[in-house]
């Protein structure tokens, strides 16, 4: 297959996949497509499955590329095919990254990560960072390309704190009941309210941006 055909196969599952991404993974030694006599990349079905494994590990388990590469090399030494972990519906993969792994997975430098912690935008627990911390780090890294840095994001953190307070207020009566299953119901309610607040927040931001652009 050509690189365009590979994109067509993977884009439904991984909308962010690009030619540049595939070339980057090749440059990092995670994939090794064959080359035609004229120099074009030619991919096999095994190459596509290897890409699926890499992209899934990044998306669902937030693993750094060097860790994924270690897993691939170990599978090659044992002569076993790589297999994507089966996702359990409703279950979120547990992520516990060291500081070095967080820096590696997010692309941030030490100074920026320290700044994020100083501003309260993310925090580790027992010197480990979870999936949300990684999501924050990656988002801040992407925003930096547009000139938006950690110091500009204090209003975003303040808004998140206020929205969390709304969720806390809504679930407090459930927690006070101390009935069997109350904690589970409170957790489910908190998740549902959080998702609705996220949708509302996104819609309001889009509306305000259209106003700024005069649309």
């Amino acid at each position: 297959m050509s690189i365009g055909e590979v994109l067509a196969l993977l884009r439904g599952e991984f909308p962010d996949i690009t030619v540049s991404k595939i070339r980057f993974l090749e440059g990092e030694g995670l994939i090794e497509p064959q080359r035609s006599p004229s120099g074009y990349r030619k991919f096999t079905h095994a190459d596509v499955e290897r890409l699926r494994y890499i992209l899934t590990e990044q998306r669902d388990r937030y693993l750094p590329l060097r860790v994924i590469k270690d897993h691939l090399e170990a599978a090659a030494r044992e002569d076993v095919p790589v297999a994507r972990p089966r996702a359990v519906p409703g279950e979120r993969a547990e992520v516990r990254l060291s500081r070095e792994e967080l820096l590696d997975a997010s692309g941030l430098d030490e100074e920026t990560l320290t700044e994020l912690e100083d501003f309260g935008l993310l925090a580790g627990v027992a010197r480990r960072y979870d999936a949300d911390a990684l999501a924050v780090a990656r988002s801040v890294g992407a925003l930096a390309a547009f000139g938006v840095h950690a110091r500009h994001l204090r209003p975003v953190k303040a808004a998140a704190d206020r929205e969390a307070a709304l969720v806390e207020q809504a679930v407090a009566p459930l927690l006070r009941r101390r009935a069997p299953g109350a904690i589970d119901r409170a957790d489910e309610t908190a998740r549902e309210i959080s998702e609705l607040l996220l949708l509302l927040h996104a819609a309001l931001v889009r509306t305000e941006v259209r106003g700024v652009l005069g649309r």
Side-chain angles (χ1 to χ4, degrees), residues 149-211:
H149 301 285
R151 64 182 180 275
H152 302 129
L153 298 174
R154 289 175 175 174
V156 178
K157 176 62 168 62
D161 290 342
R162 289 192 295 270
E163 290 170 6
L166 286 175
V167 176
E168 181 181 5
Q169 182 180 354
V171 301
L174 294 173
L175 294 174
R176 285 197 294 268
R177 291 176 186 173
R178 300 186 180 278
I183 293 178
D184 289 338
R185 284 196 293 275
D187 180 69
E188 183 180 351
T189 300
R191 290 174 185 271
E192 185 173 354
I193 295 173
S194 297
E195 290 173 2
L196 291 170
L197 286 172
L198 286 172
L199 291 172
L200 174 61
H201 185 89
L204 290 173
V205 170
R206 286 194 296 268
T207 300
E208 292 299 320
V209 170
R210 284 199 300 270

